[in-house]
Amino acid sequence: MNDETRHRTEPDGGHTTDGGHASAGERTTDGEHETDGGRATDGGHATAGDELDPSRIDGHADAAEEAFPPLGSIKRWFVTTNHKDIGILYTLTALFFLVFGGVLALLMRVQLWTPGGNFLSPLSYNQAVTAHGLLMVFWFLSPFAFGFANYVVPLQIGAKDLAFPRLNALSYWLYLFSGVLFGVSFFQGQSLAGGWTMYAPLNLPTYMPNVGATTAILALVLFVASVTVSSVNFLTTMHRMRAEGLTYWRLPLFTWTILLTVWMMLFAFAALLAALLILTSDRLLGTTYFAAEGSGSLLWAHLFWFFGHPEVYIVFFPALGVMAETFQTFTGRRLVGRKWFILAMILVAVQSFAVWMHHMFLTGINLQVKTLFMATTIGISLPFDLMVFALIYTMIKGRIRFTTPFLFSFGALVLFIIGGITGVFLGAIVLDYEFRGTYWVVAHFHYVMVGGVTALIGGLYYWFPKMTGRMYDEWLGKVHFGLFFVGFNLLYFPMFLAWETPRRVIEYDPAFVTWHQLATVGAFVLGASFLVMFWNLSRSLFVGEEAGDNPWEFATTAEWAVPSPPPLENFPGTPSYGSGSLRFLTTERALTPGEGSGGAPGVADGGTTAAVGGIDHDLDSRGLGGHDPDRSHDPNHGHESHASVWPFVVGLASFVVFLGLSGFRDGGLPPGMEGGIYAGIAVVGTAFLAFALVGMARQRFRGPAGPFGESWPFDGVENTKLGVWIFLASDVVLFGAFIGAYVFTRVAHGWVDWHVVPHDPTPGLVNTYLLLTSSFSVVLALVAAEKGSRYGLLAGLTATLVLGVGFLANKAIEWNELFHEGLTLSSSVETSTFYLTTGLHGAHVLVGLLIVLYMMGRAARGAYLDDERPVEYFGLYWHFVDIVWLFLFPLFYII
């Protein structure tokens, strides 16, 4: 790599004009280096970058012993925890679900060739519509984007890997097995058939009694678990593991979009999880939330759309990041108004949670509230106007190179503009009354969502050389774009003209036959375009031209400063932006906090400072000093582990558990052999899952160890502690949704007329004292660990265990008495809300007690005395559970 490339490689991927060319090396940092403040310990103890793994907290922090298989080995893909491998797995799996959902879409279009066609039965058509929507929205769109995020974001921010590599692998396997579980639903009578929005009460067993419908919902629960794990991981990584000098303002735009996307995912998917858990309870246990007259249907709509509208931006933001990156690269121009672009994205991310009710204009909500949400809906379009004009002006001021990635990004911009304009119609109350439930919504929705897919395909072409080291065929890429763009508009634009066609119905006015037949032709053209893409990329993988480190003349983000594909641990040294451009610090010892703050990057004594392209000659072209990036991991060379089979095992076990649970209904099982089979699967799966979780906890595994560089505003917060905080933030939304559902249902039924359950507040008061005391015992355990007292630590943990068991035992006695009074889960909506909300809290208590049991076993062997942080992290969780009870007790027992 030459000196020109060295000076162009910048943290934000930006460009300054010099006759339309990039000269980013002229800029320098204007902020101080923020050290991470994390604690690095000796003797193999856990560092700030470690996962919360009890097997490493007692002094056994050795790297995984298992050799890391080479790329050509099948075993590698089952054990890898490396972010680049996980990114490839996400990308390939998402493309599989694209084909799955796409085939269903073609079946639908064949059915609509004529009004009321008989290619599919009405029920089969409804299943195809529902599965197509769910597969595309959940199993294709976001995972496809996060394939790139997994691969690229750590490279762009200068990290060796994500903060918790095994959790990253676990998120993938949960995602994969959730999709497999959804596919299984087709073989259990019938799958879900009520539309991808799953509106109540059609989602209940009364209308969809088949086991397959329950399995589809459980698949979504498993998918949300994957999203939660991934969100915690990405947020911890991006806030805590940025390279020196890489402040928030200097983050590459793709990383910015992922950061905002993940924050939205953390909260939006928590609301969806609440809705799905309530629905699962209605189906499996017989609760009556969504069957409640006067509130059930509207409650589902509130919970679902509180997730559903942010999901639009969750899908589109990564595409926006790809557009920003490719526009900069292929115009040779820094994005116009970059800081305003970022501020506009932040504003949209915040506003996205304040517009959900415009999906509910046809409900009985009063006009004043509808008018308020019409204003917020129109208001959220204004930041998008700024972003669109920023992209347009960037093209005007740059020199465009019409490569395949740019064509797809430009096409995405055109399609999104059409989708945005047509969406304004739906934001107006009066027009929404006319358009809602018609193909106008279908067309608008696809111009936005599939418009985002268009940019993501551009991202696939853009990063394909980096992922594979090979160039794709440019001519075939442009053929793909031509077929895609023509097929897309031929498919979806006629839907605007045939807008009076009702959604999810096989009958329509014969006057619209021509438009629907054009759409069907467009669907097959669009599908054919992907055959070109698959041929192009698969062929190029083997015979494509070698790409080199940076095949794009003006690409400036950090992933283009390393070989293609990058080495196992990404960089040949410690990345730093302390001088204003990317440099690698090659040292004999780790960079310590405070070194390299401002100005030229600091190096340790005896080390050398090497810029990109200026690495010492003993480093080969892979940047690893002659070491094969795919060689077996040597515990004596470096510190990070890259292999663990346990995430795969946990994912598989979770699949078995959920498959067994799918057979339950109304608190029971089907009679005869079928019920026995499902019960057996559930029991075996639970035992398997317990074994897998213990195995994963006991494995010796080390994640990336700090200090990392920029960590503001979490300088003094270790990775694991931040991860716990972020997880608890999502749990706040989960419990908030449950509490909100209770309040909403009670208000709808009349606050005074509500039959309060339970009648006696005494059990709740006793449980309040038990939990508050248990929090005190956790504090005593932590103090004992800090003082090195094994017996004090064990006494504190034992007291917590006893008090927690007492809480659950008291709760069980209370429930048993209520059952004897005839107040069961399905007796009324009053009993359903009480049992399910307090039951969710009880499940959190049970999980905490299982953790305490595990920690007691470790503490008995001397763990946590030299490093008490795991006790502190558990305390954060336990105190949160106690605080939640302080809300539930007055809500259910006093008010």
Side-chain angles (χ1 to χ4, degrees), residues 109 112-115 490-491 494-495 497-498 508-522:
R109 289 313 316 172
L112 294 173
W113 182 260
T114 58
L490 192 59
L491 168 57
M495 295 182 187
L497 304 177
Y508 59 87
D509 192 328
F512 302 137
V513 167
T514 301
W515 301 125
H516 280 286
Q517 290 182 347
L518 282 174
T520 299
V521 172

Side-chain angles (χ1 to χ4, degrees), residues 698-711:
R698 292 183 58 81
Q699 183 188 25
R700 296 179 178 181
F701 187 97
R702 181 183 290 276
F708 303 105
E710 301 292 339
S711 301

Side-chain angles (χ1 to χ4, degrees), residues 157-382:
I157 67 174
K160 288 185 176 182
D161 208 319
L162 292 178
F164 310 115
R166 287 190 303 171
L167 293 186
N168 191 32
L170 177 62
S171 73
Y172 167 74
W173 291 113
L174 291 176
Y175 157 61
L176 173 64
F177 283 115
S178 69
V180 173
L181 189 63
F182 186 83
V184 169
S185 70
F186 284 93
F187 301 94
Q188 295 175 303
Q190 68 181 57
S191 186
L192 202 64
W196 80 276
T197 53
M198 300 173 286
Y199 282 137
L202 293 178
N203 53 19
L204 297 176
T206 303
Y207 302 99
M208 294 183 191
N210 293 77
V211 173
T214 301
T215 303
I217 294 164
L218 289 171
L220 286 168
V221 174
L222 196 58
F223 176 83
V224 175
S226 164
V227 169
T228 303
V229 171
S230 178
S231 298
V232 170
N233 207 352
F234 268 92
L235 289 174
T236 302
T237 302
M238 289 187 280
H239 284 300
R240 282 272 306 143
M241 295 175 61
R242 305 188 308 279
E244 174 197 15
L246 192 58
T247 61
Y248 287 115
W249 282 120
R250 293 188 175 91
L251 282 178
L253 287 171
F254 180 72
T255 296
W256 251 116
T257 58
I258 296 299
L259 178 63
L260 294 173
T261 297
V262 177
W263 272 117
M264 288 189 287
M265 290 171 67
L266 185 75
F267 299 126
F269 276 92
L272 177 63
L273 179 60
L276 292 172
L277 289 178
I278 294 172
L279 177 57
T280 300
S281 176
D282 278 4
R283 295 188 66 91
L284 299 187
L285 303 178
T287 52
T288 59
Y289 268 86
F290 298 128
E293 185 177 350
S295 64
S297 298
L298 199 56
L299 173 61
W300 173 265
H302 277 296
L303 291 173
F304 181 84
W305 286 117
F306 188 79
F307 148 80
H309 200 80
E311 171 67 3
V312 175
Y313 308 111
I314 287 169
V315 168
F316 190 76
F317 263 35
L320 191 64
V322 171
M323 292 162 65
E325 296 284 2
T326 52
F327 271 51
Q328 290 185 132
T329 296
F330 298 112
T331 62
R333 171 76 195 187
R334 187 173 187 259
L335 186 73
V336 173
R338 184 181 188 275
K339 288 188 176 181
W340 290 105
F341 191 93
I342 294 171
L343 289 172
M345 290 193 297
I346 296 173
L347 185 58
V348 168
V350 174
Q351 278 187 273
S352 67
F353 291 94
V355 297
W356 82 90
M357 212 177 293
H358 74 237
H359 294 275
M360 303 162 62
F361 281 164
L362 268 64
T363 64
I365 297 171
N366 67 64
L367 183 59
Q368 290 77 11
V369 173
K370 291 179 181 178
T371 303
L372 173 64
F373 277 83
M374 180 177 70
T376 60
T377 300
I378 295 174
I380 203 171
S381 67
L382 300 179

